[in-house]
Amino acid sequence: MERSYVTLYLIRHGRQSSRLCNVDVELSAAGFRQAALVGERLVRERIQTVYSSALIRAEQTAQAANLYWNVEHIIEPDLREIDFGRMEGLRDQEIRQRFGDLKREQQKMETDIPYPDGERAGDVIERVMPVLRRIAHGAEERVAVVTHGGVIRCAAAHILGMEPAKYRLLGRDLENCSITELRFDRGEERFTLERFNDYGHLEKEPDLLRDRWIQGEEEGAGWQTEDSRRTGSLRT
């Protein structure tokens, strides 16, 4: 049987302009820089199409990276981030105060517990994997998919045969505009995980890395640019 393959480059969106949990906001200045660096990094891969979720931060990341590729940009709403339910729009401190017990239960990874009035990992897998399979069965051989940290971790866990609740073992904090590469064998109808959370293109600019962003919050964010000074965020 003749086999054909397609490569999907899953890209986490760039740094957003708010630290509140999963609010639909624009990228920060740093986020646009991250998007440009991942666009430049993937030029040699000759991307044929870029897909993104409909959330503003993902759309803008795709648009900024696509300045290097100049290909069709397709919106896929089901690539949106996991629904955090009543946690959305809250600061980290508020989340710890109001939902600390639930978060501790989730961290045990014994059961796929949903966020309050939101989704669980299994729900994300059920809506995202059909989209990735449909993309993989398209005419393209190399596509970029700009989506979200929770989506990438859930999809990777599923491909590796892990229980949905165990997705938290895959990267506590994915870097913004990191690359997770999937390969789909159209003959065997199978995804393989080729690389995960690759952010080598960001290392030459340390202020774009996630630990500096988190450190900035802990130290009062005094080093940050004006458009990224916010408070609180659920980091997934």
Side-chain angles (χ1 to χ4, degrees):
M1 178 185 298
E2 183 178 353
R3 292 182 178 177
S4 62
Y5 302 92
V6 59
T7 301
L8 281 65
Y9 300 96
L10 306 188
I11 299 169
R12 189 186 179 199
H13 62 82
R15 186 181 298 168
Q16 63 194 52
S17 59
S18 172
R19 289 179 180 271
L20 300 179
C21 174
N22 201 32
V23 288
D24 193 16
V25 295
E26 297 184 344
L27 295 181
S28 67
F32 281 107
R33 286 163 59 201
Q34 292 165 332
L37 287 171
V38 75
E40 183 179 25
R41 170 89 182 272
L42 290 176
V43 164
R44 65 177 181 269
E45 306 298 342
R46 291 180 288 183
I47 301 296
Q48 294 167 297
T49 306
V50 57
Y51 297 83
S52 79
S53 85
L55 296 180
I56 296 169
R57 58 191 184 272
E59 282 195 56
Q60 289 186 334
T61 300
Q63 291 163 357
N66 197 27
L67 294 176
Y68 290 85
W69 311 328
N70 194 28
V71 297
E72 184 180 9
H73 175 197
I74 298 174
I75 304 296
E76 289 283 356
D78 280 341
L79 293 173
R80 67 188 179 275
E81 179 60 294
I82 188 169
D83 183 349
F84 296 105
R86 285 182 280 132
M87 292 186 186
E88 295 195 348
L90 301 182
R91 299 179 176 88
D92 279 355
Q93 183 177 4
E94 292 176 290
I95 290 171
R96 286 192 294 267
Q97 290 173 346
R98 294 173 56 182
F99 303 104
D101 290 343
L102 181 142
K103 293 291 291 178
R104 283 187 285 274
E105 286 300 310
Q106 287 178 326
Q107 289 302 322
K108 293 178 182 178
M109 293 180 277
E110 297 171 348
T111 307
D112 187 16
I113 301 172
Y115 287 95
D117 295 332
E119 290 182 305
R120 58 193 180 100
D123 298 324
V124 177
I125 291 166
E126 288 177 7
R127 68 171 161 83
V128 169
M129 291 309 300
V131 177
L132 296 182
R133 287 186 174 275
R134 175 160 47 80
I135 292 171
H137 278 289
E140 304 92 346
E141 295 179 350
R142 295 171 303 280
V143 300
V145 180
V146 181
T147 182
H148 305 266
V151 169
I152 294 171
R153 294 162 76 199
C154 288
H158 177 73
I159 289 165
L160 294 174
M162 299 168 62
E163 291 294 324
K166 303 289 187 184
Y167 86 93
R168 293 177 175 84
L169 294 173
L170 297 177
R172 179 177 176 85
D173 286 315
L174 297 195
E175 293 289 340
N176 293 102
C177 286
S178 63
I179 300 167
T180 294
E181 181 179 341
L182 307 180
R183 192 181 193 194
F184 185 73
D185 183 326
R186 288 169 172 157
E188 294 190 357
E189 289 284 319
R190 180 182 299 162
F191 280 106
T192 56
L193 180 64
E194 302 296 321
R195 54 176 158 160
F196 182 80
N197 195 30
D198 175 0
Y199 55 92
H201 47 287
L202 303 179
E203 291 183 323
K204 60 186 177 183
E205 298 193 39
D207 63 302
L208 297 181
L209 297 179
R210 194 142 180 94
D211 61 349
R212 291 289 298 273
W213 189 58
I214 295 170
Q215 181 183 21
E217 178 187 52
E218 292 172 347
E219 296 179 357
W223 61 272
Q224 293 178 319
T225 55
E226 194 61 38
D227 63 352
S228 61
R229 290 177 186 166
R230 301 292 187 273
T231 55
S233 159
L234 187 63
R235 302 186 188 95
T236 58

